[in-house]
Coordinates of all heavy atoms in Angstrom, one line a residue:
E136 N 13.6 -5.0 -14.3 CA 12.9 -3.8 -14.7 C 11.8 -3.5 -13.7 O 10.8 -4.2 -13.7 CB 12.3 -4.1 -16.1 CG 11.6 -2.9 -16.7 CD 10.9 -3.1 -18.0 OE1 10.8 -4.3 -18.4 OE2 10.6 -2.1 -18.7
E137 N 12.0 -2.5 -12.9 CA 11.1 -2.2 -11.9 C 11.3 -0.7 -11.5 O 12.4 -0.3 -11.4 CB 11.2 -3.1 -10.6 CG 10.0 -3.0 -9.7 CD 10.1 -4.1 -8.7 OE1 11.0 -4.1 -7.8 OE2 9.2 -5.0 -8.6
Y138 N 10.2 0.0 -11.3 CA 10.3 1.5 -11.0 C 9.7 1.8 -9.7 O 9.2 1.0 -8.9 CB 9.6 2.2 -12.1 CG 10.0 1.9 -13.5 CD1 9.1 1.8 -14.6 CD2 11.3 1.6 -13.8 CE1 9.4 1.5 -15.9 CE2 11.7 1.2 -15.1 CZ 10.8 1.2 -16.1 OH 11.1 0.9 -17.4
T139 N 9.8 3.1 -9.4 CA 9.1 3.7 -8.2 C 8.3 4.9 -8.6 O 8.6 5.6 -9.5 CB 10.1 4.1 -7.1 OG1 10.9 5.2 -7.5 CG2 11.0 2.9 -6.7
Y140 N 7.2 5.1 -7.8 CA 6.3 6.2 -8.1 C 6.4 7.2 -6.9 O 6.8 6.9 -5.8 CB 4.9 5.8 -8.2 CG 4.2 5.4 -6.9 CD1 3.4 6.3 -6.2 CD2 4.4 4.1 -6.3 CE1 2.8 6.0 -5.0 CE2 3.8 3.8 -5.1 CZ 3.0 4.7 -4.5 OH 2.4 4.4 -3.3
D141 N 6.1 8.5 -7.3 CA 6.2 9.6 -6.3 C 4.7 9.9 -5.9 O 4.0 10.5 -6.6 CB 6.9 10.8 -6.9 CG 7.3 11.8 -5.8 OD1 6.3 12.2 -5.1 OD2 8.4 12.1 -5.7
A142 N 4.4 9.5 -4.6 CA 3.0 9.7 -4.2 C 2.6 11.2 -4.1 O 1.4 11.5 -4.3 CB 2.9 9.1 -2.8
K143 N 3.5 12.1 -3.8 CA 3.1 13.5 -3.7 C 2.8 14.0 -5.1 O 1.9 14.9 -5.2 CB 4.3 14.3 -3.1 CG 4.5 13.9 -1.6 CD 3.3 14.2 -0.7 CE 3.6 13.9 0.7 NZ 2.4 14.0 1.6
V144 N 3.5 13.6 -6.1 CA 3.2 14.1 -7.5 C 1.9 13.5 -7.9 O 1.1 14.2 -8.5 CB 4.4 13.6 -8.4 CG1 4.0 14.0 -9.9 CG2 5.7 14.3 -8.0
L145 N 1.7 12.2 -7.6 CA 0.4 11.6 -8.0 C -0.7 12.2 -7.2 O -1.8 12.4 -7.8 CB 0.5 10.1 -7.6 CG -0.6 9.2 -8.1 CD1 -0.8 9.2 -9.6 CD2 -0.4 7.7 -7.7
Q146 N -0.5 12.6 -6.0 CA -1.6 13.3 -5.2 C -2.0 14.6 -5.9 O -3.2 14.9 -6.0 CB -1.1 13.5 -3.8 CG -2.0 14.4 -2.9 CD -1.4 14.7 -1.6 OE1 -0.5 14.0 -1.1 NE2 -1.8 15.9 -1.0
R147 N -1.0 15.4 -6.3 CA -1.3 16.6 -6.9 C -2.1 16.4 -8.2 O -3.0 17.2 -8.5 CB 0.0 17.4 -7.2 CG 0.6 18.0 -5.9 CD 1.7 19.0 -6.2 NE 2.9 18.4 -6.8 CZ 3.9 17.9 -6.2 NH1 3.9 17.9 -4.9 NH2 4.9 17.4 -6.8
F148 N -1.8 15.4 -8.9 CA -2.5 15.1 -10.2 C -4.0 14.8 -9.9 O -4.8 15.4 -10.6 CB -1.9 13.8 -10.8 CG -2.8 13.2 -11.9 CD1 -2.8 13.8 -13.2 CD2 -3.5 12.1 -11.6 CE1 -3.6 13.2 -14.2 CE2 -4.4 11.6 -12.6 CZ -4.4 12.1 -13.9
F149 N -4.3 14.0 -8.9 CA -5.7 13.7 -8.6 C -6.4 14.9 -8.0 O -7.5 15.2 -8.3 CB -5.8 12.5 -7.6 CG -5.7 11.2 -8.4 CD1 -4.6 10.4 -8.3 CD2 -6.8 10.8 -9.1 CE1 -4.5 9.2 -9.0 CE2 -6.8 9.5 -9.8 CZ -5.6 8.8 -9.8
E150 N -5.7 15.7 -7.2 CA -6.3 16.9 -6.6 C -6.6 17.9 -7.7 O -7.7 18.5 -7.7 CB -5.3 17.6 -5.6 CG -5.2 16.8 -4.3 CD -4.3 17.5 -3.3 OE1 -3.2 17.9 -3.7 OE2 -4.6 17.6 -2.1
D151 N -5.7 18.1 -8.7 CA -6.0 19.0 -9.8 C -7.2 18.5 -10.6 O -8.0 19.3 -11.1 CB -4.8 19.2 -10.6 CG -3.6 19.9 -9.9 OD1 -3.9 20.6 -8.9 OD2 -2.5 19.9 -10.4
A152 N -7.2 17.2 -10.9 CA -8.2 16.6 -11.7 C -9.6 16.7 -11.0 O -10.6 17.0 -11.7 CB -7.9 15.2 -12.1
L153 N -9.7 16.4 -9.7 CA -10.9 16.3 -9.1 C -11.5 17.6 -8.5 O -12.7 17.7 -8.3 CB -10.8 15.2 -8.0 CG -10.5 13.8 -8.5 CD1 -10.4 12.8 -7.3 CD2 -11.6 13.3 -9.4
N154 N -10.6 18.5 -8.1 CA -11.0 19.7 -7.6 C -11.8 20.6 -8.5 O -12.7 21.3 -8.1 CB -9.8 20.6 -7.1 CG -9.2 20.1 -5.8 OD1 -9.9 19.3 -5.1 ND2 -8.0 20.5 -5.4
G155 N -11.6 20.4 -9.8 CA -12.4 21.1 -10.8 C -13.5 20.2 -11.5 O -14.0 20.6 -12.5
D156 N -13.7 19.1 -10.8 CA -14.7 18.2 -11.4 C -16.1 18.4 -10.7 O -16.2 18.1 -9.5 CB -14.2 16.7 -11.2 CG -15.0 15.7 -11.9 OD1 -16.2 16.0 -12.2 OD2 -14.5 14.6 -12.3
A157 N -17.1 18.8 -11.4 CA -18.4 19.1 -10.8 C -19.1 17.8 -10.4 O -20.0 17.8 -9.5 CB -19.3 19.8 -11.8
N158 N -18.6 16.6 -10.8 CA -19.2 15.4 -10.5 C -18.7 14.8 -9.2 O -19.3 13.8 -8.6 CB -19.0 14.3 -11.6 CG -19.9 14.5 -12.8 OD1 -21.0 15.1 -12.6 ND2 -19.5 14.1 -13.9
V159 N -17.6 15.4 -8.7 CA -16.9 14.8 -7.5 C -16.9 15.8 -6.3 O -16.4 16.9 -6.5 CB -15.5 14.3 -7.8 CG1 -14.8 13.7 -6.6 CG2 -15.5 13.2 -8.9
E160 N -17.3 15.3 -5.2 CA -17.2 16.1 -4.0 C -16.4 15.3 -2.9 O -16.6 14.1 -2.7 CB -18.6 16.4 -3.4 CG -18.6 17.3 -2.2 CD -20.0 17.6 -1.8 OE1 -21.0 17.3 -2.5 OE2 -20.2 18.2 -0.7
I161 N -15.4 16.0 -2.3 CA -14.5 15.3 -1.3 C -14.7 16.0 0.0 O -14.5 17.2 0.1 CB -13.1 15.3 -1.8 CG1 -12.9 14.7 -3.2 CG2 -12.2 14.5 -0.8 CD1 -11.5 14.7 -3.7
K162 N -14.9 15.3 1.0 CA -15.0 15.8 2.4 C -14.0 15.2 3.3 O -13.9 14.0 3.3 CB -16.4 15.6 3.0 CG -17.6 16.3 2.2 CD -18.9 16.1 2.9 CE -20.0 16.9 2.2 NZ -19.8 18.3 2.3
Y163 N -13.2 16.1 3.9 CA -12.1 15.6 4.8 C -12.5 15.8 6.2 O -13.4 16.5 6.6 CB -10.8 16.4 4.5 CG -10.3 16.1 3.1 CD1 -10.3 17.1 2.1 CD2 -9.7 14.9 2.7 CE1 -9.9 16.9 0.8 CE2 -9.2 14.7 1.4 CZ -9.3 15.7 0.5 OH -8.8 15.5 -0.8
G164 N -11.8 15.1 7.1 CA -12.0 15.1 8.5 C -13.4 14.6 8.9 O -14.0 15.0 9.9
V165 N -13.8 13.6 8.2 CA -15.2 13.0 8.4 C -15.1 11.8 9.4 O -14.2 10.9 9.3 CB -15.8 12.5 7.1 CG1 -17.1 11.8 7.4 CG2 -16.0 13.7 6.2
R166 N -15.9 11.8 10.4 CA -16.0 10.7 11.3 C -17.4 9.9 11.1 O -18.4 10.5 11.4 CB -15.9 11.2 12.8 CG -14.7 12.0 13.1 CD -13.5 11.2 13.0 NE -12.3 11.9 13.4 CZ -11.4 12.5 12.5 NH1 -11.7 12.4 11.2 NH2 -10.4 13.2 12.9
I167 N -17.3 8.7 10.6 CA -18.5 8.0 10.3 C -19.1 7.4 11.6 O -18.3 6.7 12.3 CB -18.3 6.9 9.2 CG1 -17.9 7.5 7.9 CG2 -19.5 6.0 9.0 CD1 -17.5 6.6 6.8
H168 N -20.3 7.6 11.8 CA -21.0 7.0 13.0 C -21.5 5.6 12.7 O -21.3 4.6 13.3 CB -22.1 7.9 13.5 CG -23.0 7.3 14.6 ND1 -22.4 6.9 15.7 CD2 -24.3 7.1 14.7 CE1 -23.4 6.4 16.5 NE2 -24.5 6.5 15.9
K169 N -22.3 5.5 11.6 CA -22.9 4.2 11.2 C -23.3 4.3 9.7 O -23.5 5.4 9.1 CB -24.1 3.8 12.0 CG -25.3 4.8 12.0 CD -26.4 4.2 12.9 CE -27.6 5.2 13.0 NZ -28.7 4.6 13.8
I170 N -23.4 3.1 9.1 CA -23.9 3.0 7.7 C -25.1 2.0 7.7 O -24.9 0.9 8.1 CB -22.7 2.4 6.8 CG1 -21.5 3.3 7.0 CG2 -23.2 2.3 5.4 CD1 -20.2 2.7 6.3
V171 N -26.2 2.5 7.3 CA -27.5 1.8 7.4 C -28.0 1.4 6.1 O -28.1 2.3 5.2 CB -28.5 2.6 8.2 CG1 -29.8 1.7 8.3 CG2 -28.0 3.0 9.6
K172 N -28.3 0.1 5.9 CA -28.9 -0.3 4.6 C -30.4 -0.1 4.6 O -31.1 -0.5 5.5 CB -28.6 -1.8 4.4 CG -29.3 -2.4 3.2 CD -29.1 -3.9 3.1 CE -29.9 -4.6 2.0 NZ -31.3 -4.5 2.2

Side-chain angles (χ1 to χ4, degrees):
E136 184 181 17
E137 197 171 63
Y138 307 143
T139 66
Y140 75 97
D141 195 302
K143 295 299 184 183
V144 176
L145 189 57
Q146 174 186 332
R147 289 193 291 272
F148 165 79
F149 276 105
E150 287 180 318
D151 291 343
L153 298 178
N154 284 345
D156 190 334
N158 284 333
V159 178
E160 185 177 350
I161 305 177
K162 293 185 180 294
Y163 296 109
V165 175
R166 305 293 184 263
I167 294 174
H168 173 55
K169 62 180 178 179
I170 304 171
V171 181
K172 176 185 173 294

